[in-house]
């Protein structure tokens, strides 16, 4: 069955499709439902519920697979009955507004909405394994049984004094577990309480049947996990009804977030369990269920994931499902907006496994593909034909899909943290390739808001990030959008920063110029302009005082360095062909170097090579730091010139 | 005979941040101790009695930490849901806390089970406090009511239904048992008097109020909400005195340093700001790793405790006096020396001819060397590692002195590769410092004059010269740009009096630029 980890309102649902695990349905923070294909690791579909902001999706459950081989084909809808696929199709989503949406992945659209029965938010939905029934539990303490053939409620009953937070239908479809704080087992035929289990002090978030045996054989077990609880409890449904306490408990490191288990059909078969906790770790258990066990069981294997940076940070796992054999596990990890899916072989002999993955690269890769994947359904020519013909049905469909695609791009940029956004600006090439249209990165063309925040709270880290921008356009736009009240604080801050090292101060001058240009009229109209900008003026004046002398020094240095370069280059030339000629010609000007040449020609040439290498290094450095190093190139030019001159002379 | 005059070290104005008494005071804390709690830390309260334990409310628990323990001394875990606002009574014996399940619990600090349960609210209780007579409890809840309860028989005394939104903060008067103040998300702060059973003063904060604080004198009230911190005069009937806006996100918590001279505000923007309460200027700023939800300050500012959204509790302890004892020890030696000088407290009479004892002049090492005209060694000393990195002004002063004497050339000459590279390193490191430029440029020129014959022989020195060249180039480019700015400023100053012309020219210029001319320098050059 589909895993239903996220039934508590705090957690965002994240569910693999049953059987083949072909899809991962995931509801992200922005309220959109995304369905990822686990084989191609791309975004398969995206659906934005019309009320995705007000009524967020609280839980998801995949409907049972509808396959030809699986005996009697259930007919949910007449239209769909013909189209037989071996695929998980329907998806039930419970929302905070109390409605249940049925989404069809085959159609890629909303199939129907079930509403009118709940007055509170829906906490959990569960499909009946055989009949086309759906159960939903809600904050209004009721459980509703929906008939999907009619789309109406079949029955509704009060289940608990508190909200119903979790549900589970037994594999044979005869029993239903529900839980608020107390776990109740209902007989689905009579809708009467069959058993009660107490023990959890907080809301139960997870319920799962662990065995598939009938309830009166002492062999039916189920497990439960509760909010803020670091234990998974296993309960035995005993024949004599003396099932007061849990029989086994599994210890975890945090609250369980997603559970997958392989049920056991006989006593000889162990239950295998994969639990992803809230702290992003995966725990694997294997246990034979046969009666009580006093000690809490610790996991047979714990899996963590980290990135490949120098100081590794943990990557949270979102969900995990067990594969057919004991070692393979399908993992989903990373951000909810762009999860990465991967099939992993885990060496269960080791107690603790840490996987290192480079999420950054995988993320950007998946983003490129997602964009392309999302586009394909839009470019279908059908919509053109059908829009006039069926305005009621198809037109909104097309509208939503397009809208969703556009909005999705926006959120991709919006959802990123400030640091990521800044990072994107620096490495703009990657993002522009990914977005390809250039419209997506419009969000990051100015820092006005960030700058104002930084100035208001005097936050050094924000200011540093903003001021180290090198893009002229970004600076201009930021300054242009700056509110007038922030102009003077900005000038003050720039004054402070102008006093530093020229490498960084040059960047500040750009900002200052932009401010002076964009806000000329405002600044000029200030009555106390002189006092406001006086400090800046004096600072600049005092710094510029040495301009004269420094230029002179530069001239001197320039001369010496070029002399050195020429002497070295001439050395090489001389080494290659004619030593004597050059000595004669340069005698008058470079006596020192010439004499040095004569004395130690080999040593000098050695020096030259090193020097040349160093100058090159230096040039590279400076080019890295400053894209337009005009003087450097000039120097090179001069060297070239001199080469030519000498050759002419020769 | 004229005595030797030691090199005068010029005191240059410091660049960047000013070191004030406040920054010294607030920087005098040890590295923070960080403790991971179970959830976001929503409240921190210090016990009023020594040893000043503090109660930390995080998620469904309240932990009490001792002043120096990193493990909780005591923890209260009997909450059914998220706990809020654990506060000590004025004798430090009892602790009260609200809860998401609307029940208020009263604990004995030494016990474990709640002594009293106060049931009556219908929604989460975010505000709890004891009145100053110790026998009543004030609570405020999300059901828009605040109530007074009697502790001994756990009954409700009064209910106030004046607020129209969640009540999230409040404080009781420490001087008057009947007065208390509540702040609500309906943007108001209300002062209640239990004797008249309704609010006496209502102040409009303008944003949902997150925290309120009373001055020890109780004449002034501070409220925080939104991005503003506001100070109100209660004696003038709630007149707003100051409005501070120094955070860029919601201010969540306030604290007063124990002598009432400094106000601290913590915010979701990860900063804690310290204000001077006489002029309400920010005097210091702390940065933290995550959004701050709660802030506590121990009596006498012994420790600053901050609780954050990422469930980390950060505790900074003040550095003890012992830490700076070595300095004190050095200072103590002086009086013990003076004990030997007899007749020190003899007061000279009018006719006495006073012969001053020649004060022995203490000379720095470089001064001694200068005195013996050992110029090269003096420069070496001034280039010693410590001075070079920590007090470049001394090195520069020595170079300047040498230049004044005309012996700088001698001092600079005759250095081997290592000495020269050290010197060049110093020049490269400090040349762009506007305070040192004049002296160092002279020195650099001299070095070039002296060593130009050997340039090209040592790869190390050559590399440094290249670096120097690059640096000077950058500096000149920078100064060119600055000169352009200067020109712009000149224009602006000149035209600020006749106001009509400037906006026109300014607009014209900026338009020309925004229309996409890539070379920014040209139009500015026209201006200059």
């Amino acid at each position: 069955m589909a895993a239903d980890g996220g039934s508590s309102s705090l957690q965002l649902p994240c569910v693999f499709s049953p059987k083949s695990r072909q899809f991962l349905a995931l509801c992200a923070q922005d309220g959109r439902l995304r369905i990822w294909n686990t084989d191609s690791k791309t975004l398969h579909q995206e659906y934005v519920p019309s009320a995705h902001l007000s009524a967020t999706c609280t839980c998801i459950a995949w409907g049972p697979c509808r396959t030809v081989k699986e005996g009697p084909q259930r007919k949910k809808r007449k239209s769909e009955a013909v189209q037989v696929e071996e695929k998980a199709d329907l998806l039930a989503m419970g929302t905070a507004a109390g409605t249940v949406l049925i989404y069809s992945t085959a159609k890629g659209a909303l199939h129907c909405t079930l509403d009118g029965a709940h007055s509170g938010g829906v906490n959990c939905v569960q499909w009946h394994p055989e009949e086309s029934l759906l159960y939903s539990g809600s904050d209004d303490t009721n459980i509703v049984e929906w008939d999907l053939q009619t789309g109406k409620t079949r029955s509704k009953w009060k289940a608990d004094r508190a909200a119903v937070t979790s549900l589970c239908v037994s594999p044979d479809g005869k029993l239903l577990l529900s839980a608020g704080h107390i776990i109740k087992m209902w007989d689905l035929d009579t809708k009467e309480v069959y058993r009660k289990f107490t023990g959890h002090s907080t809301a139960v978030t997870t319920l799962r049947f662990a065995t598939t045996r009938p309830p009166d054989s002492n062999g039916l077990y189920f497990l439960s996990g509760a909010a803020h609880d670091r234990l998974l409890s296993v309960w035995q449904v005993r024949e004599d009804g003396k099932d007061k306490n849990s029989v086994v408990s599994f210890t975890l490191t945090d609250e369980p977030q997603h559970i997958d288990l392989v049920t056991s059909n006989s006593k000889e078969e162990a239950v295998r369990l994969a639990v992803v906790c809230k702290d992003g770790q995966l725990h694997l258990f294997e246990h034979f269920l046969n009666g009580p066990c006093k000690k809490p069981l610790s996991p047979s294997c714990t899996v963590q994931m980290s990135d490949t940076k120098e100081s590794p940070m943990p990557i949270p796992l979102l969900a995990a499902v067990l594969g057919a054999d004991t070692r393979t596990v399908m993992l989903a990890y990373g951000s909810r907006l762009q999860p990465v899916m991967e099939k992993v072989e885990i060496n269960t002999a080791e107690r603790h496994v840490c996987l290192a993955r480079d999420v950054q690269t995988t993320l950007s890769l998946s983003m490129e593909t997602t964009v392309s994947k999302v586009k394909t359904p839009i470019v279908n020519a059908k919509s053109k034909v059908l829009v006039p013909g069926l305005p009621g049905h198809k037109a909104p469909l097309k509208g939503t899909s397009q809208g969703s695609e556009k909005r999705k791009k926006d959120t991709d940029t919006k959802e990123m943290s400030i640091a990521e956004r800044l990072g994107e600006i620096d490495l703009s090439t990657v993002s522009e390739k990914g977005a390809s249209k250039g419209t997506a990165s419009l969000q990051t063309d100015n820092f006005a808001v960030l700058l104002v925040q930084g100035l208001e709270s005097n936050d050094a880290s924000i200011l540093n990030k903003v001021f180290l921008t090198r893009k002229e356009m970004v600076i201009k736009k930021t300054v242009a959008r700056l509110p007038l009240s922030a102009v003077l604080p900005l000038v003050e801050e720039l004054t402070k920063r102008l006093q530093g090292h020229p490498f960084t101060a040059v960047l500040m001058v750009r900002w200052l110029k932009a401010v002076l240009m964009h806000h000329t009229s405002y600044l000029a109209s200030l009555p106390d302009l002189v006092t406001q900008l006086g400090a800046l003026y004096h600072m600049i004046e005092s710094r510029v005082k040495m301009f004269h002398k420094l230029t002179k020094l530069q001239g001197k240095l320039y001369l010496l360095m070029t002399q050195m370069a020429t002497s070295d280059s001439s050395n090489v030339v001389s080494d290659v062909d004619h030593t004597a000629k050059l000595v004669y010609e340069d005698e008058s000007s470079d006596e020192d170097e010439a004499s040095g040449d004569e004395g130690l020609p080999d040593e000098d040439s050695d020096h030259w090579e090193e020097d040349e290498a160093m100058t090159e290094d230096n040039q590279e450095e400076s080019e890295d730091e400053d894209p337009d190093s005009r003087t450097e190139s000039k120097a090179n030019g001069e060297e070239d010139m001199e080469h030519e001159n000498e050759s002419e002379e020769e | 005979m004229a005595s030797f005059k030691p090199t005068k070290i010029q005191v240059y104005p410091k660049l960047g941040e000013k070191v004030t008494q406040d920054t010294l005071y607030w920087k005098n804390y040890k590295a923070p101790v960080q403790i991971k709690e179970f959830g976001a830390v929503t409240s921190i309260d210090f016990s009023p009695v020594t040893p000043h334990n503090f109660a930390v409310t995080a998620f469904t628990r309240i932990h009490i930490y001792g002043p120096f323990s990193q493990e909780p001394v005591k923890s209260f875990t009997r909450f059914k849901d998220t706990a809020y606002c654990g506060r000590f009574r004025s004798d430090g014996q009892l602790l009260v806390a609200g809860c998401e399940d609307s029940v208020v619990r009263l604990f004995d600090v030494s016990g474990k089970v709640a002594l009293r349960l106060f049931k009556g609210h219908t929604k989460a209780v975010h505000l709890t406090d004891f009145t100053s007579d110790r026998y009543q409890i004030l609570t405020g809840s999300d059901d828009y009511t605040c109530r007074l309860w009697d502790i001994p028989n756990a009954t409700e005394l009064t209910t106030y239904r004046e607020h129209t939104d969640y009540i999230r903060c409040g404080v009781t008067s420490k001087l008057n048992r009947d007065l208390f103040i509540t702040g609500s998300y309906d943007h108001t702060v209300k002062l209640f008097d239990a004797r008249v059973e309704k609010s006496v003063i209502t102040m409009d904060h303008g944003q949902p109020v997150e925290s309120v604080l009373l001055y020890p004198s109780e004449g002034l009230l501070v409220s925080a909400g939104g991005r503003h911190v506001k100070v109100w005069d209660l004696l003038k009937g709630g007149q707003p005195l100051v409005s501070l806006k120094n955070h860029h996100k919601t201010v969540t918590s306030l604290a007063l340093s124990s002598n009432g001279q400094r106000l601290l505000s913590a915010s979701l923007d990860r900063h804690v700001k310290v204000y001077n309460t006489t002029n309400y200027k920010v005097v210091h700023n702390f940065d933290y790793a995550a959004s701050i939800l709660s802030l506590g300050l121990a009596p006498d500012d012994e420790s600053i405790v901050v609780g954050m959204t990422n469930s980390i509790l950060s505790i900074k302890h003040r550095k003890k006096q012992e830490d700076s004892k070595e300095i004190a020890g050095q200072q103590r030696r002086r009086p013990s020396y003076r004990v030997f000088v007899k007749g020190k407290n003899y007061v000279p009479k009018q006719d006495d001819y006073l012969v001053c004892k020649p004060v022995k002049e203490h000379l720095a090492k470089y001064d001694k060397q200068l005195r013996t005209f050992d110029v090269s060694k003096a420069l070496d000393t001034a280039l010693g590692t410590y001075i070079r990195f920590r007090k470049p002004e001394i090195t520069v002063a020595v170079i300047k002195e040498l230049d004044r004497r005309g012996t700088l050339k001698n001092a600079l000459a005759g250095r081997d590769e290592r000495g020269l590279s050290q010197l060049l390193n110093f020049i490269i490191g400090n040349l762009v410092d506007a305070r040192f430029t004049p002296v160092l440029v002279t020195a650099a020129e001299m070095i070039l004059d002296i060593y130009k014959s050997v340039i090209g022989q040592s790869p190390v020195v050559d590399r440094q010269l290249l670096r120097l060249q690059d640096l000077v180039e950058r500096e000149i480019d920078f100064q060119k740009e600055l000169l352009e700015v200067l020109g712009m400023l000149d224009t602006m100053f000149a035209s600020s009096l006749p106001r009509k012309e400037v906006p026109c020219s300014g607009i014209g210029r900026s338009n020309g630029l925004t229309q996409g001319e890539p070379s920014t320098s040209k139009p500015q050059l026209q201006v200059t």
Side-chain angles (χ1 to χ4, degrees), chain A residues 432-474:
Chain A
E432 271 165 17
K433 266 182 208 162
S436 73
K437 295 229 168 173
T439 47
S441 58
L442 272 178
Q443 293 286 327
T444 51
D445 66 347
N446 77 80
F447 288 137
V449 175
L450 205 60
L451 182 61
V452 171
Q453 287 190 346
L455 288 173
E456 267 172 3
S457 67
N458 207 2
D459 188 317
S461 59
I462 293 182
L463 289 175
N464 280 340
K465 276 178 187 165
V466 173
F467 282 139
L468 290 183
T469 318
R470 286 169 188 282
K471 283 190 175 174
E472 202 72 41
M473 279 311 286
V474 175

Side-chain angles (χ1 to χ4, degrees), chain A residues 3-4 6 13-15 25-27 33 57-62 91-94 125:
Chain A
D4 179 26
C14 169
V15 187
L26 207 133
C27 218
L33 171 75
C57 171
T58 52
C59 50
I60 299 178
W62 284 92
L91 196 66
M93 302 159 63
V125 282

Side-chain angles (χ1 to χ4, degrees), chain A residues 162-406:
Chain A
V164 179
T165 52
S166 188
L167 287 175
C168 184
V169 186
S170 71
D172 59 359
K174 288 185 179 141
L175 296 168
L176 173 74
L177 284 172
S178 79
H181 288 219
I182 302 169
I183 304 171
K184 288 180 181 168
M185 185 174 268
W186 304 85
D187 191 330
L188 275 181
D189 294 333
T190 58
K191 307 283 186 306
E192 279 170 352
V193 178
Y194 182 67
R195 291 286 160 80
K196 268 192 200 176
F197 304 88
T198 51
H200 284 291
S201 60
T202 48
V204 175
T205 54
T206 318
L207 280 175
R208 250 1 165 54
F209 276 97
T211 57
T212 53
R213 278 162 278 180
D216 46 0
S217 67
N218 267 357
L220 183 63
Y221 290 86
F222 67 90
L223 53 89
S224 67
H228 318 315
D229 203 351
R230 296 194 292 195
L231 283 178
L232 273 181
S233 309
V234 180
W235 309 77
Q236 186 182 17
V237 185
R238 286 171 57 160
E239 213 177 342
D240 50 8
K242 288 179 180 170
D243 27 30
K244 287 287 169 248
N245 291 316
S246 65
V247 284
V248 187
S249 52
F250 298 106
T251 55
L252 306 171
T253 49
D254 207 337
E255 181 183 339
Q257 194 181 11
H258 182 276
I259 289 186
D260 187 63
L261 64 81
V262 177
T263 56
S264 78
N265 300 317
S266 62
K267 271 197 175 168
E268 287 71 43
E269 203 178 336
V271 170
R272 283 165 54 214
L273 187 62
V275 186
V276 176
C277 293
K278 221 174 177 181
D279 59 357
Q281 294 187 30
L282 165 69
H283 302 286
L284 298 173
F285 297 92
E286 206 164 331
H287 182 64
F288 293 93
L289 288 171
N290 46 3
C293 174
K294 273 200 173 171
K295 263 192 179 172
L297 298 167
S298 46
S300 64
C301 180
T302 297
V303 182
Q304 271 183 300
M305 195 163 271
S306 73
D307 56 14
T308 51
K309 285 176 196 147
E310 268 179 43
S311 53
M313 293 288 288
I315 302 171
L317 290 167
L318 299 173
V321 284
L322 295 160
D325 64 296
T326 45
R327 313 190 80 191
T328 54
V329 175
M330 167 107 68
L331 299 174
Y333 56 87
S335 144
R336 278 189 176 274
L337 296 170
Q338 284 182 346
V340 185
M341 283 138 290
E342 189 183 348
K343 234 175 207 151
V344 184
E345 288 244 329
I346 286 169
N347 182 9
T348 40
E350 277 182 56
R351 291 295 297 251
H352 205 108
V353 179
C354 191
L355 306 168
R357 292 288 183 273
D358 192 1
V359 181
Q360 279 302 335
T361 55
T362 41
L363 271 187
S364 62
L365 271 176
S366 63
M367 184 166 159
E368 274 174 48
T369 47
T370 55
V371 171
S372 64
K373 281 284 165 183
V374 173
K375 268 180 207 156
T376 41
I378 300 157
V379 196
N380 64 0
K382 249 203 274 176
S383 57
K384 270 186 193 169
V385 186
L386 284 180
V387 165
L390 284 169
H393 187 61
K394 278 287 175 182
L397 186 97
K398 177 211 165 201
T400 50
S401 66
Q402 253 185 355
S404 74
E405 191 255 354
K406 267 183 195 163

Side-chain angles (χ1 to χ4, degrees), chain A residues 363-563:
Chain A
L363 271 187
S364 62
L365 271 176
S366 63
M367 184 166 159
E368 274 174 48
T369 47
T370 55
V371 171
S372 64
K373 281 284 165 183
V374 173
K375 268 180 207 156
T376 41
I378 300 157
V379 196
N380 64 0
K382 249 203 274 176
S383 57
K384 270 186 193 169
V385 186
L386 284 180
V387 165
L390 284 169
H393 187 61
K394 278 287 175 182
L397 186 97
K398 177 211 165 201
T400 50
S401 66
Q402 253 185 355
S404 74
E405 191 255 354
K406 267 183 195 163
R407 261 180 270 156
K408 196 222 153 201
K409 272 190 188 170
D410 286 357
T411 45
D412 274 348
T413 44
K414 252 184 225 165
E415 290 292 331
M416 277 192 286
S417 72
I418 287 167
E420 279 173 328
R421 270 161 64 182
L422 287 160
E424 198 197 34
I425 279 179
D426 291 342
L427 315 163
S428 58
T429 48
V430 178
S431 72
E432 271 165 17
K433 266 182 208 162
S436 73
K437 295 229 168 173
T439 47
S441 58
L442 272 178
Q443 293 286 327
T444 51
D445 66 347
N446 77 80
F447 288 137
V449 175
L450 205 60
L451 182 61
V452 171
Q453 287 190 346
L455 288 173
E456 267 172 3
S457 67
N458 207 2
D459 188 317
S461 59
I462 293 182
L463 289 175
N464 280 340
K465 276 178 187 165
V466 173
F467 282 139
L468 290 183
T469 318
R470 286 169 188 282
K471 283 190 175 174
E472 202 72 41
M473 279 311 286
V474 175
I475 294 177
K476 265 185 200 164
K477 288 202 170 161
T478 308
V479 171
R481 303 208 177 158
L482 208 63
L484 286 185
S485 56
V487 169
L488 279 177
L490 175 63
V491 171
E492 224 166 83
E493 184 64 34
L494 287 172
T495 312
K496 223 183 269 171
R497 282 165 186 261
L498 273 178
Q499 301 175 344
H501 202 272
F503 289 148
T504 51
V506 164
L507 297 174
M508 302 304 128
V509 177
R510 288 194 200 168
W511 282 92
L512 190 60
K513 277 184 175 173
V515 170
L516 290 180
M517 272 184 257
H518 276 283
H519 299 284
T520 328
S521 36
Y522 166 68
L523 287 172
S525 65
L526 283 176
D528 53 347
L529 173 72
V530 177
T531 48
Q532 292 284 4
L533 300 185
L536 175 69
Y537 194 87
H538 284 299
M539 197 277 298
I540 296 178
E541 250 189 350
S542 67
R543 183 137 187 178
V544 166
K545 240 182 237 165
M546 291 308 296
F547 185 67
H548 190 65
K549 268 188 137 182
L550 270 173
T551 321
K552 263 188 177 172
L553 177 67
Q554 196 211 8
K556 231 175 212 184
L557 270 168
Y558 186 65
L559 179 76
L560 282 171
M561 297 322 280
T562 43
Q563 285 298 315

